[in-house]
Amino acid sequence: MFSLVAVSAELAEQLVALDEDGEDAVHQARIRVRRLRSILRVYRAAFDAEAALAMRTRLKTLGDRLGTVRDLEVKATTLDDLLEVDDPPDVVDAVTAEAEATRAEHDAALASLLRYVHGGTVRALLADVQMFAAEPPLSRKGRKHPGRVTTRGLEKAVVKVHRERGDSLEERHATRKAARKVRYAADAVADDLGRQAVRLSSAAKAAQDALGDNRDDLLLAHELRELGHIGLAMRCERRAADALDGLDAKLAAIAFEGASA
């Protein structure tokens, strides 16, 4: 149901792969955690409320640990991409030093994550996730009216994307998270809804990516200003602004039959 079995199996595979392919496996495992949590949130009416909330909470703990490592990797990559060929040596040195410090922090976070994943807490979580996926604790609505639950869940998720819109960093972050939920929830029912779900997922991803790039650059710009690198901060801020080009159209494309902004 809702691709739970497939996503839970993929999560287990990516966590096993952490030892051999740390970076991509961290990213992929984080995506699977977010997919599961989005399904349980958007289609919450389909599940026993207490059981679904407990599972979402446990998954969030794992997702936060994965996110710490992934965010540091993204920051280091963003710093590398910030340099331009005509930058003076002092700028290159400053960015290189900050990138190296970020990678050292990342390596420590990754080592901590591996210890956590190898522990009993995550093993128990994976076993429980797979059991939940195999035999979901459905609510009466989930058993009697799965199609209605799917449609209504997506409608509400789409409405929330547009309701969360705003110009502040935190408002845009809320919009991004709402778009991400729509994306993963639509992916989970693609077999049932076909092209409509595929289009919805694609539109949500486009908005999510733009808002994510904007946030990453703005947060880095803030750090660079605090370190006194004003020119670099302004460069990040220009990139952040560029990321929002066409955002209104991307958000407008997040539409589902029966939903309204």
Side-chain angles (χ1 to χ4, degrees):
M1 185 179 188
F2 301 128
S3 304
L4 285 172
V5 171
V7 180
S8 63
E10 291 167 3
L11 173 59
E13 290 171 1
Q14 294 301 330
L15 291 177
V16 169
L18 283 176
D19 289 309
E20 297 179 358
D21 189 15
E23 294 307 344
D24 189 58
V26 168
H27 180 45
Q28 295 302 324
R30 188 189 195 190
I31 287 175
R32 270 60 182 190
V33 168
R34 284 175 164 175
R35 285 187 184 279
L36 289 168
R37 295 191 74 244
S38 294
I39 292 168
L40 295 178
R41 176 63 179 172
V42 173
Y43 303 121
R44 58 191 178 278
F47 304 101
D48 174 81
E50 186 176 345
L53 177 58
M55 184 56 67
R56 285 180 56 229
T57 301
R58 293 172 68 190
L59 285 166
K60 183 178 186 303
T61 300
L62 173 58
D64 287 346
R65 300 291 292 263
L66 292 162
T68 296
V69 178
R70 174 62 177 169
D71 289 347
L72 288 168
E73 182 209 356
V74 170
K75 179 184 174 183
T77 301
T78 303
L79 282 164
D80 289 338
D81 292 342
L82 194 60
L83 289 174
E84 297 178 357
V85 293
D86 57 349
D87 281 332
D90 61 322
V91 170
V92 174
D93 290 344
V95 172
T96 300
E98 184 64 20
E100 288 177 352
T102 300
R103 288 194 178 88
E105 188 179 355
H106 163 272
D107 291 346
L110 178 59
S112 176
L113 172 66
L114 289 172
R115 290 193 295 271
Y116 174 68
V117 168
H118 292 158
T121 299
V122 173
R123 286 198 299 271
L125 172 61
L126 285 176
D128 290 344
V129 166
Q130 290 171 333
M131 186 181 301
F132 188 107
E135 297 183 13
L138 299 178
S139 66
R140 181 177 179 279
K141 288 182 179 178
R143 293 191 302 271
K144 299 286 187 180
H145 308 289
R148 189 182 305 172
V149 168
T150 297
T151 300
R152 189 58 181 148
L154 275 178
E155 287 177 349
K156 289 181 177 180
V158 167
V159 168
K160 187 172 183 179
V161 171
H162 300 287
R163 189 173 64 235
E164 296 287 355
R165 289 191 64 176
D167 294 327
S168 73
L169 182 62
E170 289 312 307
E171 286 171 330
R172 287 198 295 268
H173 187 46
T175 303
R176 178 194 181 193
K177 291 191 293 185
R180 186 174 66 216
K181 286 186 176 68
V182 168
R183 174 189 171 189
Y184 293 149
D187 287 341
V189 295
D191 288 346
D192 297 319
L193 298 183
R195 291 182 180 179
Q196 189 175 18
V198 173
R199 286 194 297 267
L200 183 57
S201 173
S202 179
K205 182 181 185 301
Q208 176 194 338
D209 288 346
L211 289 164
D213 290 343
N214 171 264
R215 181 176 176 81
D216 289 342
D217 277 322
L218 285 180
L219 291 177
L220 181 56
H222 177 73
E223 290 189 35
L224 290 169
R225 282 188 177 277
E226 289 192 332
L227 292 170
H229 305 311
I230 306 304
L232 291 172
M234 292 176 64
R235 189 180 295 175
C236 276
E237 288 161 355
R238 287 193 296 270
R239 294 198 326 184
D242 289 344
L244 298 183
D245 286 347
L247 179 62
D248 287 344
K250 291 172 183 174
L251 288 172
I254 302 176
F256 183 69
E257 184 178 352
S260 58

